[in-house]
Amino acid sequence: MRSEHPATLAAAPEQGATEEATAVAHPNIALIKYWGKRDEDLVLPRVDSLSMTLDVFPTTTRVRLRADAAHDQVTLNGAPARGEALRRVVAFLDLVRERAGRAHRAVVDSENTVPTGAGLASSASGFAALAVAAAAAYGLDLDATALSRLARRGSGSASRSVFGGFAVWHAGPARGTAQEADLASHAEPVPTGDLDPALVVAVLDAGPKEVSSRTAMRRTVDTSPLYESWAASSGADLAEMRAALLAGDIETVGEVAERNALGMHATMLAARPAVRYMTPATLAVLDRVLRIRRDGVPAYATMDAGPNVKVLCRRADAGQVAAALWEAAADGTVLVAGPGPGARLLGGDGR
Ligand code: 2P0
């Protein structure tokens, strides 16, 4: 991605010299959900999705090339990555290396301020930051669209975090070659009208989930009798959402987001065996959101692959909504997020 701040990039790659780049990205929350893949390898989704990138919980990732290393080294919040997390980062770096025609291994250090694996979109900010930093470190000159495609290969939702504000991720054509599908499946910014939105996030359980979203998605597509009808209705939801965003109609944006999310959870509940991310604490917050609405404040809930609830409202109402959610969230915490920036390279001074 082109940036006002050029990447920290050493000049000539000498033996043992380090080329490096650092990028920051923010998580996004989908208002029209991505749930289900049609190609696991290319990470091609079954449905289009639409999200808001947040201004909280950034991930900062530094990638340093090492000519003398035999393996990639990856740390997440200072601890060495292992298992599936390490495998996914190395597979992503392999993809970047293949494109760049380079073999150097890398040292990757990622600092994530969002609880990892708790349905708070840590993989979205994580792979968006990694895509931007790794592309720069390996010398790939990619525009934002190409970076979105690349980030998608790490984690589908990361394609949307390349962009700030509202973004739509195109599923791409269901027919055609793999190359055509790959090219078509990227995110792009969504135009909005006069909208001053906030997402009030109720963090009810920041621990890692028992079933990964990747596994849950696969099981839902393979076994849920409700999946196809949700996927079909999601297309209509997206069209209505786009029109409502353009019109600055937060009530319709919220209504469509809430029904789309509840529908997605319904598909999971009907999977065999069922996947249930909602807990009693989730339901208590959903009840409170209904009460907030009955009291005349437009506020609408969405939930992802975890028990936490994000409530869309006007920024002017966010304080009142947050106070109500504090009461309902028992042991949880509540914070207010607004629309945030897209992924970007940081300069050599870390800014
Ligand atoms: C979303 N989620 O649209 C949906 C809604 C969770 C529920 O994108 O397998 O971590 O890495 O492509 O991106 C979470 O899925 O999945 C997700 P992979 P990802 O935000």
Side-chain angles (χ1 to χ4, degrees):
M1 174 182 280
R2 287 175 228 297
S3 161
E4 292 164 30
H5 305 288
T8 326
L9 199 62
E14 297 158 14
Q15 189 68 23
T18 306
E19 293 161 88
E20 67 172 77
T22 302
V24 63
H26 290 75
N28 68 76
I29 297 300
L31 302 180
I32 301 292
K33 302 297 185 186
Y34 153 49
W35 197 249
K37 296 180 182 64
R38 67 181 198 280
D39 185 318
E40 298 238 344
D41 183 39
L42 291 174
V43 192
L44 296 172
R46 289 284 307 263
V47 293
D48 296 337
S49 55
L50 185 152
S51 61
M52 184 176 106
T53 299
L54 306 185
D55 60 358
V56 296
F57 298 144
T59 297
T60 305
T61 300
R62 180 171 61 161
V63 176
R64 290 177 287 165
L65 271 52
R66 297 296 303 267
D68 52 354
H71 303 285
D72 295 314
Q73 284 173 42
V74 181
T75 67
L76 301 175
N77 292 338
R82 296 182 210 289
E84 179 65 6
L86 176 63
R87 191 198 63 72
R88 281 177 68 174
V89 172
V90 172
F92 188 81
L93 292 171
D94 285 342
L95 186 65
V96 174
R97 281 189 278 262
E98 190 188 315
R99 300 232 176 129
R102 304 191 59 178
H104 287 26
R105 302 288 127 179
V107 177
V108 176
D109 299 301
S110 189
E111 297 291 332
N112 211 352
T113 55
V114 58
T116 300
L120 288 167
S122 60
S123 70
S125 55
F127 278 100
L130 181 62
V132 172
Y138 280 95
L140 290 175
D141 184 19
L142 303 180
D143 64 13
T145 302
L147 284 167
S148 173
R149 262 185 222 115
L150 178 63
R152 186 196 85 224
R153 299 290 295 274
S155 191
S157 53
S159 65
R160 300 184 308 236
S161 274
V162 169
F163 296 97
F166 291 88
V168 63
W169 170 25
H170 302 291
R175 297 187 210 296
T177 65
Q179 194 187 11
E180 285 164 352
D182 177 43
L183 275 176
S185 188
H186 59 81
E188 67 180 359
V190 169
T192 62
D194 191 11
L195 206 65
D196 196 11
L199 267 179
V200 183
V201 183
V203 183
L204 305 171
D205 181 355
K209 54 200 161 216
E210 279 173 30
V211 186
S212 75
S213 54
R214 199 159 269 207
T215 303
M217 247 183 238
R218 187 183 303 136
R219 190 190 298 168
T220 304
V221 174
D222 290 348
T223 71
S224 174
L226 303 190
Y227 182 76
E228 292 302 336
S229 52
W230 173 78
S233 67
S234 198
D237 285 349
L238 178 68
E240 198 173 341
M241 171 72 71
R242 291 188 73 135
L245 284 170
L246 206 52
D249 175 358
I250 201 148
E251 283 93 348
T252 303
V253 169
E255 273 170 27
V256 175
E258 191 173 285
R259 77 183 185 216
N260 187 270
L262 289 170
M264 177 188 73
H265 282 269
T267 68
M268 294 183 221
L269 289 170
R272 295 158 190 190
V275 180
R276 182 173 60 84
Y277 289 117
M278 288 185 282
T279 63
T282 309
L283 296 179
V285 172
L286 292 181
D287 276 348
R288 181 54 68 106
V289 171
L290 285 178
R291 270 177 54 191
I292 296 169
R293 276 215 294 275
R294 267 187 231 122
D295 291 343
V297 177
Y300 305 87
T302 186
M303 297 93 66
D304 295 289
N308 307 309
V309 184
K310 299 95 184 183
V311 179
L312 181 79
C313 62
R314 288 195 181 94
R315 192 187 291 264
D317 294 330
Q320 190 184 342
V321 170
L325 296 190
W326 264 113
E327 279 179 21
D331 301 328
T333 57
V334 176
L335 67 107
V336 177
R344 67 184 178 101
L345 286 170
L346 295 182
D349 57 359
R351 287 186 295 162

